[in-house]
Amino acid sequence: MTEYFPEVKKVKYEGPDSKNPLAFKYFDASEVVLGKTMAEHLRFASCYWHTFKNLGQDQFGGNTIIRNYNDSSDPMKVADMTLEAAFEFFTKIGVDFWCFHDRDIAPEADTLAETNKRLDTIVAKAKKLQADTGMKLLWGTTNAFSHRRFLAGAGTNPSPAIFAYAASQIKKAMEITKELGGEGYVFWGGREGYDTLLNTDLKMELDHLALLLQMAVDYKKKIGFKGQLYIEPKPKEPTKHQYDFDAGNCLAFLQKYDLVDYFKMNIEANHATLASHDFCHELAFCTANNFLGSVDANRGDLLLGWDTDQFPSNIYETTMAMYIILKSGGFTTGGLNFDAHVRRQSIDPVDLFYAHIGGMDVFARGLKNAAKMIEEKTFDKAVADRYKGWSEELGKNIESKKFGFEELEAYIIKNGEPKVQSGKQELLENYLNSYI
Ligand code: XUL
Ligand code: CO
């Protein structure tokens, strides 16, 4: 088979003192942390769309990146070479998982039937490459937002025929995800949202989105697909008001339409910041509601305010993220998918390796810091102390509903002004710094 990245051999762990830019300094796949290996905790995935299909285009200019696996005028030949290049990359970088959209792996043909045939060809090859390399599919998904037909959304499209097209695409994407042993399936809203109320029936669109998700739940059962379904919230872009704004909004939506038992969240760091939250808030909201599933690990640029999909590099953020994830019991079906692309100027194939090495190392450091924070219980103790009144008599009487308004008023009249306490934020931030 052609070697597409001949300049890189398998990337190895060499430790923090290594000066080799193509080695891990912190990610040692087999190192055991809190009873599991780093690879088992972190479950890294590389994403097909950004890593292999993004060629540096932006709003102001076309592609800047030239890849040897694109060197053919036959789109299926390109798909074939790209798949081989992808599995070579996965093996050399040492991620255990990958993720794709249907349209990333096989180009669309003139009819749905032809497109599905193309998918079958590529999926058969991917299945073989998975078996040969031990790679696993973290999740599959549908691209029902790039094609012109989806200009006004997929499930929320004003046209039932376009709803039908989206449903057909999801049906096939679920089938191939199952065929590849996918551990999950993602619904990111794409163009499920609106730009102006002047042309939008908001209630109808929400009802239809729920209908589409219900159909997916039913079909999953029908074909015996065991993977976890995820919703990936994002507040804006491409539409002005995306319906899956944030985790809180998704929870309410799923509850309203009786879908809450079938979905978990796929939280993307930069989507959280676009929603004026931060990554860790979204993670914590999900773990508090027992519906964190998986993570799209990236970062945005707070000064730009759009979805820049940069590789993670912030050690504070990965430490806190891993702290929240570990405290909730860690990933089961989910993992850390690098939904990130190299910059428009990072045109060399080796830049893909530097990007992943950086992301994997910064999460490995986050994991080790978080494990230490958990072992030493520093923050657990501070939190327990702050809420200790709730394990004393008054708190118990409130929580058990023994006390209502009248008893509480009587308590205050008897005991007078309650004491207040320091939140100790600065001290706790100093403690956090000591782990970084
Ligand atoms: C878009 C985004 C998508 C989803 C999958 O912002 O994050 O790549 O992760 O459709
Ligand atoms: Co994403």
Side-chain angles (χ1 to χ4, degrees), residues 315-323 365-366 369-370 373 432 436:
I315 178 80
Y316 280 87
E317 196 162 74
T318 58
T319 298
M320 277 306 291
M322 287 315 300
Y323 183 66
R365 288 177 81 176
N369 293 343
M373 284 157 62
L432 176 61
I436 304 289

Side-chain angles (χ1 to χ4, degrees), residues 92-247:
K92 285 183 169 172
I93 194 70
V95 290
D96 290 337
F97 296 91
W98 64 305
C99 299
F100 66 81
H101 298 86
D102 47 4
R103 300 300 178 251
D104 305 332
I105 55 170
E108 217 170 313
D110 290 340
T111 65
L112 184 67
E114 271 305 309
T115 304
N116 286 350
K117 256 197 228 158
R118 287 182 168 188
L119 271 171
D120 290 338
T121 306
I122 294 290
V123 166
K125 181 162 177 152
K127 198 171 175 182
K128 180 167 185 320
L129 285 166
Q130 284 193 165
D132 293 348
T133 58
M135 280 292 297
K136 287 167 282 184
L137 180 62
L138 191 67
W139 47 262
T141 187
T142 311
N143 179 336
F145 45 86
S146 293
H147 192 281
R148 182 171 179 275
R149 78 176 69 85
F150 296 119
L151 59 83
T156 62
N157 200 287
S159 153
I162 293 171
F163 180 102
Y165 207 107
S168 318
Q169 224 181 294
I170 294 168
K171 171 180 176 292
K172 180 69 180 172
M174 285 180 97
E175 290 164 7
I176 60 174
T177 300
K178 173 175 184 267
E179 174 71 11
L180 292 169
E183 299 192 18
Y185 187 91
V186 162
F187 291 86
W188 165 59
R191 293 179 197 276
E192 313 293 32
Y194 70 91
D195 293 314
T196 172
L197 286 172
L198 296 175
N199 65 13
T200 302
D201 184 335
L202 195 147
K203 181 181 181 307
M204 183 191 269
E205 292 203 358
L206 289 171
D207 288 348
H208 290 172
L209 183 56
L211 256 177
L212 188 72
L213 295 178
Q214 183 63 58
M215 287 181 192
V217 168
D218 295 343
Y219 194 64
K220 173 182 186 282
K221 265 188 221 152
K222 181 160 188 193
I223 62 173
F225 170 47
K226 299 276 181 288
Q228 174 64 51
L229 302 180
Y230 306 110
I231 297 202
E232 182 178 323
K234 184 175 185 180
K236 55 189 167 195
E237 199 196 1
T239 74
K240 180 171 158 187
H241 299 279
Q242 294 281 120
Y243 292 132
D244 301 328
F245 188 96
D246 62 3

Side-chain angles (χ1 to χ4, degrees), residues 232 268 271 296 339:
E232 182 178 323
E268 177 162 325
H271 295 179
D296 271 6
D339 191 352

Side-chain angles (χ1 to χ4, degrees), residues 327-343:
K327 278 180 75 73
S328 75
F331 291 122
T332 52
T333 53
L336 294 168
N337 167 46
F338 292 115
D339 191 352
H341 59 84
V342 294
R343 299 302 87 196

Side-chain angles (χ1 to χ4, degrees), residues 45-52 90 98-100 337-340 356:
S46 180
C47 84
Y48 211 89
W49 54 102
H50 284 322
T51 309
F52 306 105
F90 300 150
W98 64 305
C99 299
F100 66 81
N337 167 46
F338 292 115
D339 191 352
H356 281 75

Side-chain angles (χ1 to χ4, degrees), residues 23-70:
F24 294 115
K25 319 293 180 300
Y26 300 94
F27 177 63
D28 179 1
S30 58
E31 181 180 335
V32 174
V33 178
L34 295 181
K36 284 203 282 189
T37 65
M38 280 199 180
E40 286 165 343
H41 275 295
L42 298 166
R43 293 168 60 86
F44 287 127
S46 180
C47 84
Y48 211 89
W49 54 102
H50 284 322
T51 309
F52 306 105
K53 303 305 285 181
N54 184 294
L55 298 173
Q57 69 280 12
D58 70 7
Q59 303 236 38
F60 305 95
N63 297 345
T64 54
I65 294 173
I66 299 161
R67 299 282 190 234
N68 50 12
Y69 41 83
N70 281 334

Side-chain angles (χ1 to χ4, degrees), residues 349-361:
V350 71
D351 292 321
L352 294 176
F353 287 87
Y354 297 144
H356 281 75
I357 289 170
M360 291 161 83
D361 265 346

